[in-house]
Amino acid sequence: MEQERREENRVPVSLEVSWEGASGRHTARVSDISLGGCYLDTLGSATPGEIISLTIKLPDGDLLNLRGEVAYHLQNLGFSICFTYLTDEEQYQLSQLITS
């Protein structure tokens, strides 16, 4: 059994997201999220280690722009992202989203 590598517990969500990486710009849905990362349900392709930009539409309609490194990719299902380079404001917005 693979050992759990996440440092933060993820909470289930259903949020619209657009993301951009080497394969272009795509739309997707965030299905779980934590302060450390998230999972995107998407048909778009990404490579582990690739840095992508994503814009999450928050429940109040605001947009949250983040960057992350692809941790793993499941063909035709989606991929997991570890957030990188978070500002204090981004961390605050994430914590508000997770605790709401």
Side-chain angles (χ1 to χ4, degrees):
M1 178 177 264
E2 184 176 321
Q3 183 179 355
E4 181 64 50
R5 295 177 290 179
R6 294 181 190 150
E7 294 179 13
E8 311 269 349
N9 288 330
R10 292 197 180 173
V11 296
V13 294
S14 182
L15 300 170
E16 294 177 33
V17 63
S18 61
W19 66 274
E20 188 168 359
S23 65
R25 191 164 196 55
H26 307 271
T27 58
R29 184 154 304 276
V30 175
S31 59
D32 67 42
I33 196 164
S34 75
L35 290 175
C38 67
Y39 187 84
L40 298 183
D41 296 318
T42 182
L43 295 176
S45 183
T47 305
E50 178 180 349
I51 302 294
I52 65 161
S53 299
L54 57 153
T55 302
I56 299 172
K57 185 175 181 182
L58 300 174
D60 65 4
D62 285 346
L63 301 177
L64 177 57
N65 297 304
L66 301 170
R67 291 140 320 279
E69 180 178 344
V70 176
Y72 68 88
H73 178 255
L74 299 171
Q75 190 66 33
N76 296 322
L77 293 175
F79 55 86
S80 177
I81 297 170
C82 294
F83 295 133
T84 55
Y85 318 112
L86 292 178
T87 66
D88 290 341
E89 178 61 24
E90 291 165 343
Q91 286 180 336
Y92 175 76
Q93 287 183 295
L94 275 173
S95 68
Q96 293 299 305
L97 173 64
I98 292 165
T99 58
S100 63

